[in-house]
């Protein structure tokens, strides 16, 4: 509080002494309009102790303070004028008259401190003539473009360029224009909670579109949006270990980690390993497991034993749409707590940290193998191949009951479809147990003349097994759309039902689509799962199956639209037809999914929507297919689905 008042005297002088305040603040000043709450408060990370408070705001002159008001504060005449912006039918756009002046942006920049406000320069700018042109840099970017490590450290780059609008990709033609597309206009490189509060209050007051980027992995590009202000959480990396964390609310008394919203899979798996523990997080190396992943549910190599990642959350710290910083757990803000565990990112608030349960480390056996039509010197026939895949599906109930998570693919090759297992993941199983689990299916494959030598390795511990078994996945595909289905358990109840389900998948493969799938049954093995917003379809499945359609790179918008229409209402409909009423995983889904409310949220949707309306009545947070998004649309120039257009009320 003391620090806050004295800083603000300086800020007033500074803001009004010069029309263009300098971007930087002094070393000992992180954020101008912030109070540092006592850091011996064990609830918070240090970056969570730097908060925006009413006292800080009231020390500002009224016209500056009006830009950053909390939504629960009585509005003055100026903020009343500003509030009108939020009721206009579209979020303001850089070409609008009401777009904030440079002076106002500079005020935001100064108040944030720490050089946190970054005006977007697309990552691929060095590939285009202009002030950033640099052939060598462009070549380096091009060679790494499908590597997620490149994009996650950029303030705005997203790994799904299709939804960015494909405006500034790496290219060998520097004469093209590098325009922003769905990249936000500015990003706040967040290093404390006050900056998130300032960003939310500023966006709401000014009527700006607001987005949140963590790593940019989202399949539907939900970390971007044209003309937006972005809150970039990637650098919130703190980790705190609790050997014994007690939550009376859920009756837990055991090890836990409090993790910053920017912590990624490769980081927490290592942290846990060093303490002889595991956490329930994803297979993907670089996914932001404490951001969009866990808020969307989060499937894991441990899901067939422990359920979804969101099932293990003990507490979250969140900045809500009114700008306030709150804790959501089993005892306080319980609706918010329920919604944030499965109801999706970018909807209810900006999460700054998550406390999750941890479990004893475990041994894992992992097996990798493949077989291909035309393989083994042409001895694998198409009929035998598909019989072998169909045989495989019979084992999903018994394998998932044993805790198995199998990551499998059907990919077209020059000789025909290839089945790839990478890996068959057997947590807690010995080599002998794992071989025994696979033996009945392998015997059937051998009888079909499908022979191969699996690479099966036993690891004493989860982390080295995970490192060795899940290769880094390529991102930034420019001509692909993906959808997914959580096929219901009932479809395994009779041979004819499973035949129909299998045929729906086989037909997609034979039409040239890529199948990427998991054996998974995300329920606790000792029964049940916590009451949270995870899509109920997850509790009634043995398989999460994705399919992807390709079009020719650079295809016209008309061809893309037709391909996508055929995909959504043809190939995906075929899958829905054999699984009516089931669902789809919102984190790996088709942005055009019809009736997404039912598919992505199931019977939780009505409650999620009422929580959304209560906590974010002004729709400060928006992402396509997120809860409450049906009232808004992004209007794109070419009619293709992306974030590259104005965001308007329908
Ligand atoms: C290569 C790859 C591997 C994957 N592996 C898995 C896997 O093993 N299991 C699985 O379940 N999924 C997996 N996914 C899907 C992944 O869970 C989703 O893409 C998820 O949305 C990524 O979250 P993020 O925070 O890293 O990404 P972002 O794209 O940055 O964010 C995703 C969404 O969450 C919002 N968001 C991010 N941080 C916050 C925050 N702190 N507060 C509020 N909202 C926030 C964003 O606004 C956006 O809407 C994978 C995806 C890829 C591309
Ligand atoms: C930490 O501070 C917050 C807000 O001031 C308060 O609600 C919480 O009880 C404090 N926690 C501890 C352990 O002091
Ligand atoms: C609010 O808007 C009205 C009409 O545009 C204007 O006359 C008035 O001066 C504004 N008030 C403030 C405090 O800016
Ligand atoms: C880019 O690729 C080069 C070599 O291929 C590698 O050394 C470098 O670390 C990569 N950079 C990133 C950000 O992935
Ligand atoms: C790039 O933008 C400029 C200015 O809008 C325009 O004149 C030019 O035609 C564009 N170039 C290309 C290749 O689209
Ligand atoms: C973002 O801020 C962190 C400090 O929190 C700093 O290390 C990093 O370089 C900044 N990134 C960019 C792109 O400015
Ligand atoms: C394929 O045929 C070649 C040459 O006849 C032989 O050396 C090889 O072992 C065969 N491979 C398989 C998998 O049968
Ligand atoms: C396996 O190969 C043998 C030898 O070519 C052949 O006789 C047999 O019919 C094949 N079996 C099947 C199921 O295709
Ligand atoms: C799959 O199960 C669902 C019930 O969840 C059922 O409605 C559907 O008909 C089944 N599919 C087939 C092909 O029988
Ligand atoms: C599979 O790939 C081959 C070779 O590229 C191609 O000829 C064939 O049409 C593809 N099959 C499908 C179903 O797309
Ligand atoms: C879409 O499907 C229709 C009907 O099957 C087909 O004629 C058409 O070629 C497809 N279009 C594309 C772009 O795949």
């Amino acid at each position: 509080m003391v620090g806050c008042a004295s800083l603000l005297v300086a800020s007033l002088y500074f803001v009004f002494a010069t029309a263009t305040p300098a971007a930087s603040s002094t070393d000992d000043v992180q954020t101008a309009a912030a109070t540092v709450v006592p850091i011996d408060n064990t609830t918070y990370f240090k970056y969570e102790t730097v908060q925006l408070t009413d006292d800080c705001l009231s020390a500002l002159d009224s016209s500056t303070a009006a830009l950053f008001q909390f939504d629960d504060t009585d509005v003055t005449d100026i903020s009343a004028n500003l509030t009108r912006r939020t009721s206009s039918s579209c979020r303001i756009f850089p070409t609008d008259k009401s777009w904030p002046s440079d002076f106002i942006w500079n005020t935001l920049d100064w108040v944030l401190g720490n050089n946190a406000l970054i005006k977007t320069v697309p990552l691929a700018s060095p590939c285009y003539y202009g002030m950033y042109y640099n052939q060598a840099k462009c070549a380096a970017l091009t060679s790494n473009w499908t590597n997620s490590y490149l994009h996650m450290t950029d303030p705005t780059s997203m790994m799904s360029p299709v939804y960015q609008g494909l405006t500034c990709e790496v290219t060998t033609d520097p004469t093209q224009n590098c325009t922003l597309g769905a990249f936000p206009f500015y990003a706040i490189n967040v290093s404390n909670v006050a900056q998130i509060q300032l960003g939310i209050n500023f966006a709401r007051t000014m009527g700006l579109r607001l987005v949140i980027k963590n790593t940019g992995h989202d399949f539907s590009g939900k970390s971007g949006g044209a003309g937006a202000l972005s809150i970039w959480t990637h650098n919130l990396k703190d980790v705190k270990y609790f050997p014994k964390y007690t939550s009376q609310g859920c009756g837990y008394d055991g090890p836990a980690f409090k993790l910053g919203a920017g912590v990624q899979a490769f980081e927490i798996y290592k942290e846990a390993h060093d303490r002889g523990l595991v956490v329930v997080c994803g297979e993907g190396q670089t996914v932001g497991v404490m951001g969009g992943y866990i808020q969307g549910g989060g499937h894991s190599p441990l899901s067939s034993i422990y359920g979804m990642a969101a099932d293990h959350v003990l507490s979250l710290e969140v900045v809500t749409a009114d700008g306030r910083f709150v804790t959501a757990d089993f005892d306080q803000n319980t609706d918010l707590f329920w919604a944030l565990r499965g109801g999706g990112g970018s909807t209810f608030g900006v999460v700054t940290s998550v406390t999750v349960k941890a479990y004893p480390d475990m041994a894992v056996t992992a097996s990798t193998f493949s077989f291909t039509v035309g393989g083994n010197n042409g001895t694998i026939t198409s009929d035998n191949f598909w019989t072998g895949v169909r045989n495989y599906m019979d084992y999903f109930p018994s394998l998932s009951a044993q805790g198995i998570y199998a990551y499998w693919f059907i990919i077209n090759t020059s000789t025909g479809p290839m089945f790839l297992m990478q890996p068959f993941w057997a947590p807690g199983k010995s080599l002998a147990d794992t071989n025994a689990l696979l033996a009945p299916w392998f015997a059937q494959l051998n009888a079909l003349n499908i022979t191969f030598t699996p690479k099966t390795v036993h690891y004493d511990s989860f982390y080295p097994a995970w490192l060795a078994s899940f290769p880094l996945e390529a991102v930034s595909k420019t001509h692909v759309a993906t959808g997914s289905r959580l096929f219901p358990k009932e479809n395994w109840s009779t041979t004819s039902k499973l035949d129909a389900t299998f045929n729906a998948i086989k037909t997609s493969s034979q039409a040239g689509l890529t199948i990427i799938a998991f054996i998974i049954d995300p329920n606790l093995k000792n029964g049940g799962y916590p009451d949270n917003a995870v899509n109920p379809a997850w509790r009634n499945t043995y398989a999460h199956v994705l399919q992807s359609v390709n079009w020719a790179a650079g295809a016209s918008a008309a061809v893309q639209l037709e391909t996508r229409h055929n995909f959504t209402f043809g190939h995906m409909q075929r899958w829905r037809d054999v699984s009516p009423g089931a669902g789809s995983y919102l984190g790996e889904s088709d942005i055009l999914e019809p009736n997404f409310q039912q598919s992505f949220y199931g019977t939780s949707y009505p409650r999620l929507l009422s929580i959304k309306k209560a906590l974010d009545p002004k729709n400060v947070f928006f992402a396509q297919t997120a809860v409450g998004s049906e009232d808004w649309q992004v209007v794109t120039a070419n009619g293709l689905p992306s974030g590259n257009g104005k965001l308007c009320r329908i």
Side-chain angles (χ1 to χ4, degrees):
M1 220 86 79
V2 176
C4 168
S6 61
L7 286 172
L8 287 169
V9 172
S11 98
L12 290 178
Y13 172 76
F14 204 77
V15 170
F16 294 104
T18 158
T20 51
S24 63
S25 50
T26 55
D27 286 349
D28 56 334
V29 177
Q30 279 239 309
T31 290
T35 296
V36 178
V37 306
I39 61 165
D40 57 46
N41 182 321
T42 56
T43 307
Y44 294 138
F45 283 138
K46 190 167 180 203
Y47 67 74
E48 292 173 326
T49 65
V50 182
Q51 299 172 7
L52 180 70
T53 62
D54 294 300
D55 295 297
C56 290
L57 286 176
S58 60
L60 284 167
D61 81 287
S62 64
S63 64
T64 306
L67 300 174
F68 304 108
Q69 288 301 336
F70 293 103
D71 200 25
D72 49 10
T73 311
D74 283 344
V75 282
T76 62
D77 53 348
I78 280 194
S79 55
N81 274 6
L82 291 169
T83 301
R84 248 179 256 138
R85 293 159 172 266
T86 58
S87 55
S88 85
S89 65
C90 298
R91 292 288 180 242
I92 59 170
F93 210 64
T95 49
D96 292 350
K97 268 199 292 241
S98 52
W99 183 255
S101 63
D102 286 350
F103 176 81
I104 300 276
W105 283 113
N106 286 333
T107 304
L108 173 65
D109 184 22
W110 188 82
V111 174
L112 293 169
N114 214 21
N115 292 319
L117 190 66
I118 301 173
K119 196 166 187 172
T120 301
V121 176
L123 186 56
S125 297
C127 296
Y128 296 80
Y129 285 145
M131 65 188 290
Y132 303 103
Y133 183 62
N134 181 323
Q135 255 188 308
K137 272 194 189 163
C138 176
L141 288 164
T142 303
S143 72
N144 279 351
W145 200 244
T146 61
N147 183 325
S148 52
Y149 284 88
L150 179 66
H151 301 274
M152 73 195 198
T153 50
D154 181 85
T156 56
S157 193
M158 43 221 258
M159 303 180 198
S160 49
V162 167
Y163 303 104
Q164 184 276 335
L166 289 167
T167 66
C168 187
E169 285 291 288
V170 285
T171 177
T172 51
D173 176 5
T175 67
Q176 295 296 309
N177 286 325
C178 168
T179 56
L180 285 182
F183 290 132
F185 210 82
Y186 284 98
I188 301 175
N189 179 10
V190 167
S191 58
N192 64 48
V193 161
Q195 292 169 331
I196 299 176
Q197 297 176 291
L198 289 162
I200 288 176
N201 288 349
F202 181 79
R204 188 187 58 248
T205 307
M206 302 304 289
L208 290 167
R209 184 170 178 184
L210 182 73
V211 298
I212 306 155
K213 181 192 167 182
N214 185 27
T215 63
H217 273 81
D218 196 87
F219 272 44
S220 303
K222 288 185 273 186
S223 65
L229 171 64
S230 174
I231 292 177
W232 184 36
T233 58
H234 176 68
N235 292 304
L236 301 179
K237 292 285 192 188
D238 290 21
V239 171
K240 184 171 177 174
Y241 171 55
F242 298 91
K244 205 167 150 51
Y245 184 102
T246 305
S247 164
Q248 267 147 15
C250 79
Y252 183 73
D253 194 14
F257 286 96
K258 178 180 164 86
L259 301 166
V263 169
Q264 291 167 276
F266 67 92
E267 294 164 326
I268 181 53
Y269 282 147
K270 168 107 178 46
E271 280 285 342
H273 176 71
D274 291 347
R275 299 181 187 281
L277 297 168
V278 292
V279 289
V280 181
C281 285
E283 58 79 20
Q285 256 176 56
T286 48
V287 170
V289 284
M290 294 299 130
Y293 165 87
I294 201 158
Q295 289 177 54
H299 68 77
S300 166
L302 297 175
S303 281
S304 296
I305 296 177
Y306 288 129
M308 301 292 281
D311 297 344
H312 305 277
V313 175
L314 292 160
S315 177
L316 300 125
E317 314 291 350
V318 197
V319 183
T320 45
D322 56 7
R324 297 294 178 184
F325 182 52
V326 303
T327 299
D329 62 20
F330 290 94
D331 303 315
Q332 44 191 325
N333 298 300
T334 50
D335 277 349
L336 177 60
F337 184 55
W338 181 83
L340 285 171
R341 289 174 297 148
S346 196
T347 309
F348 304 100
V350 178
V351 169
T352 66
S353 68
V354 188
T355 304
V356 295
K357 297 177 189 173
Y359 296 94
D361 195 4
M362 62 175 79
V364 176
T365 299
S367 184
T368 300
F369 51 89
S370 68
F371 51 90
T372 309
V373 170
N376 293 3
N377 290 337
T379 57
I380 300 182
T381 64
S382 176
D383 282 352
N384 286 351
F385 175 90
W386 287 112
T387 303
V389 175
R390 172 64 186 80
N391 290 339
Y392 168 56
M393 290 186 71
D394 285 329
Y395 297 101
F396 288 17
S398 57
L399 289 175
S400 57
Q402 290 291 323
I404 300 302
Y405 174 87
Y407 191 12
W408 54 279
F409 307 71
I410 303 174
I411 302 165
N412 189 28
T413 74
S414 57
T415 59
M418 170 175 77
F419 180 96
L420 170 65
M421 179 66 82
Q422 191 171 274
F424 182 89
W425 177 264
K429 301 291 182 201
S430 67
L431 207 54
D433 289 345
T434 305
N435 287 335
L437 287 172
L438 285 165
W441 178 39
F442 282 2
Q444 289 171 311
L445 292 177
N446 290 341
L448 292 162
N449 290 338
I450 300 174
T451 56
F452 49 81
T453 308
K455 182 177 169 251
T456 309
V457 181
H458 182 76
Y459 303 85
D460 290 337
S461 167
F462 177 94
Y463 179 63
W466 172 79
L467 274 179
S469 305
F470 296 96
L472 189 65
E473 293 139 313
V475 298
S476 295
K477 294 171 188 155
T478 56
H479 45 287
V480 175
T482 299
S484 67
R485 201 74 188 150
L486 296 163
F487 287 107
K489 287 184 175 174
E490 288 85 343
N491 291 22
W492 273 262
S493 63
T494 67
T495 301
S496 65
K497 285 183 184 180
L498 193 54
D499 284 345
T501 306
F502 161 78
N503 281 325
I505 296 170
K506 178 182 170 187
T507 305
S508 289
S509 175
Q510 291 187 324
L513 283 81
T514 300
I515 309 296
I516 300 181
F518 302 84
I519 297 182
I520 187 167
D521 177 4
N523 288 287
L524 295 172
K525 283 298 157 262
N526 58 9
Y529 49 87
D531 175 22
N532 58 30
V534 167
N535 187 346
W538 271 116
R539 313 302 187 179
N540 183 38
T541 192
Y542 298 122
H544 165 42
V545 189
L546 294 79
Q547 59 178 336
S548 297
V549 71
N550 280 264
W551 51 88
S556 69
V559 167
Q560 289 184 49
L561 278 171
E562 190 179 314
T563 307
R564 298 197 64 133
H565 186 273
N566 283 0
F567 177 72
T568 301
F569 300 102
H571 302 296
M572 282 303 298
Q573 188 58 44
R574 183 173 350 97
W575 288 18
R576 284 189 290 268
D577 285 344
V578 294
S579 56
S584 174
Y585 179 35
L586 70 90
E588 297 172 327
S589 63
D590 180 7
I591 198 173
L592 299 177
E593 176 84 16
N595 195 6
F596 74 84
Q597 296 91 337
Q598 189 282 324
S599 282
F600 298 164
Y601 308 93
T603 50
S604 296
Y605 198 73
R607 181 171 175 201
L608 284 167
L609 189 60
S610 75
I611 294 171
K612 170 72 175 178
K613 288 192 163 150
L615 292 179
D616 186 14
K618 294 180 180 161
N619 291 286
V620 174
F621 303 112
F622 165 87
Q624 291 180 77
T625 73
V627 171
S629 62
E630 57 272 72
D631 294 340
W632 296 81
Q633 66 180 335
V634 178
V635 185
T636 63
N638 58 10
L640 287 169
S642 82
N644 182 16
K646 270 196 174 191
L647 174 60
C648 297
R649 259 178 236 277
I650 288 174

